[in-house]
Amino acid sequence: MHERLERLRAAAGRVGASAPVAWVRRHRRPLAIAVLVLVAAFIAVYVAVRPEIVGQVLAVGPVALATLAGLYALVILSHWAVLELTVRWCEARIGVREGFLLTVYSTVANFFGPLQSGPGVRAAYLKARTGVRLRDFTMATLVYYAAFGAVNASLLFVRTLPWLTALGLVLGVSLVAAIAWRSGAGRRVATAGIAIATAIQCLLMAAVYHVELNAVAGPGADPLQSLVYSASANLSLFVSITPGAIGFREAFLGFAQSLHGVGFDAIIAAGIVDRAFYVLFLGVLFLVSSALNLRAMFSVRPDAGEGGAERVGDPRE
C-alpha cells in the first residue's frame, strides 16, 4: 500500500511539473475570466431556454421568496463553514474571501455538473493553491458525507419510528466521535465542527422545503413532515447524476411518501419552485461574487509599484 501511494505521489508530481500545467499557471488570470464568462453564459442560456422558471418562482409570493433567499444564503454560509473546517482538517489555511468565492463557484459546479462535481472543484483548487493533499481532502470530505448521511438517514423515521431516529443520531454521533479520536488531537475540533455545521445545514434545508411545501400546497406541512421530506431529498444527492438531482429527487421522495406523507402533486410543484428559485439564486450570487473577484483582480495596490502586478488581487493578502 505504501509503495502504491508513493507511485501515485510520483505520478502527481510529474503532472504538476508538466508543460500544460505550467501553461495554466502562467495564464491563470485570463483563464479565470474565461471561466467566469462561460459559467455566466451557461446560466443565462439555462434561464433563456426555460423562461417559465421566473414566473414559477414569482408565483409563490414575496414573503416566501424573501424567506427562501435568506435560508439559502444561510445554506451557502454553512457550505463555506464546512469548506473552512475541511481546509483546517487538512492543516492548511485559506482566506475568507477566497474561501467564499470557492464555495460559490463549486456550488454552481455541483448543481449543474454531473454527480457531485463540487468536491472535485474544491479538491483541484486547494491542491493547486495551498498544496492540500488529495488523500487528506478526501478523508475530510468523507467526514462530511458520513455526517450528512447519518443525519438524513436518521431523520427519515422521525414521524413513524422516532426511537429509530434517536438510535441513528446516537450512532452517528458515535461514528463522528470515533473518527475525531482517530484523526489526532489537531483534527478533533475540525472533525466535530464539520459534523455540527453539517447538522445545521440539514436543518436549514428542511426549513427551505417547509417554506416551499406550504407555498405550493397551502399551509399544512408540519415541521416533522418537512424534516422527513428534506431527508429523502438530501439522500438522493448520493446517487444523482443529473443537474439539481432532477428525476432522482422525485424518485426518492416518491418511494418515501409513506414516511413523509406529502402528495406527489405537491412533490412535483415544490421541486419546480425549488430548482427555479435556486437557479436564479445561484445566478445572482455568481454575478455578485464574480464582480467582487474581478474588481480585486484588477485593483492595483497603491504600494505595489511597477513590479506589483503579480500581487494584484492576491486573496491571501
Side-chain angles (χ1 to χ4, degrees):
M1 178 63 72
H2 181 71
E3 294 178 356
R4 185 176 299 176
L5 288 174
E6 289 299 325
R7 287 197 296 269
L8 289 174
R9 289 173 184 171
R14 289 193 295 270
V15 171
S18 64
V21 173
W23 183 87
V24 170
R25 288 174 178 169
R26 288 196 304 270
H27 300 86
R28 61 187 179 186
R29 185 170 299 167
L31 286 174
I33 296 173
V35 170
L36 296 180
V37 172
L38 286 174
V39 176
F42 184 85
I43 294 175
V45 170
Y46 189 93
V47 175
V49 173
R50 297 176 57 88
E52 67 273 14
I53 66 175
V54 178
Q56 291 165 348
V57 170
L58 295 177
V60 302
V63 175
L65 289 178
T67 306
L68 288 176
L71 287 172
Y72 265 124
L74 293 175
V75 170
I76 295 296
L77 287 178
S78 72
H79 282 296
W80 170 78
V82 170
L83 173 66
E84 289 286 334
L85 291 164
T86 298
V87 173
R88 293 194 180 191
W89 198 97
C90 298
E91 300 177 346
R93 289 292 185 272
I94 188 173
V96 173
R97 184 176 66 84
E98 186 178 14
F100 176 74
L101 292 174
L102 178 58
T103 299
V104 172
Y105 298 149
S106 60
T107 300
V108 173
N110 203 58
F111 181 84
F112 291 105
L115 296 174
Q116 293 293 294
S117 307
V121 171
R122 291 190 286 271
Y125 181 89
L126 293 173
K127 171 67 176 177
R129 187 67 170 173
T130 64
V132 168
R133 294 185 300 178
L134 181 59
R135 180 182 63 182
D136 290 341
F137 181 84
T138 301
M139 288 300 299
T141 303
L142 288 177
V143 173
Y144 167 71
Y145 281 144
F148 190 81
V151 171
N152 286 293
S154 300
L155 291 178
L156 274 178
F157 307 98
V158 69
R159 293 180 74 233
T160 53
L161 298 171
W163 65 268
L164 190 56
T165 294
L167 178 60
L169 291 176
V170 169
L171 292 176
V173 171
S174 301
L175 175 62
V176 172
I179 295 174
W181 182 259
R182 292 181 62 85
S183 298
R187 291 173 170 170
R188 288 170 188 165
V189 174
T191 302
I194 291 173
I196 293 172
T198 303
I200 293 173
Q201 187 180 107
C202 293
L203 294 177
L204 289 171
M205 286 307 304
V208 166
Y209 290 128
H210 182 73
V211 172
E212 292 170 352
L213 287 172
N214 282 285
V216 300
D222 61 76
L224 291 183
Q225 227 177 356
S226 301
L227 283 173
V228 180
Y229 183 96
S230 176
S232 308
N234 290 337
L235 289 173
S236 69
L237 298 175
F238 283 107
V239 297
S240 174
I241 59 173
T242 57
I246 294 174
F248 288 87
R249 183 197 292 178
E250 285 76 14
F252 270 63
L253 289 170
F255 289 138
Q257 200 167 1
S258 62
L259 298 176
H260 55 67
V262 177
F264 200 70
D265 288 344
I267 291 174
I268 298 299
I272 291 174
V273 169
D274 180 72
R275 293 188 182 92
F277 178 85
Y278 196 50
V279 167
L280 298 179
F281 178 83
L282 286 181
V284 172
L285 188 63
F286 178 83
L287 291 176
V288 172
S289 59
S290 298
L292 294 174
N293 191 29
L294 289 174
R295 180 181 177 183
M297 289 171 64
F298 289 104
S299 60
V300 181
R301 290 162 52 107
D303 60 341
E306 295 182 358
E310 288 300 317
R311 300 179 64 192
V312 174
D314 189 342
R316 293 170 294 179
E317 296 182 352

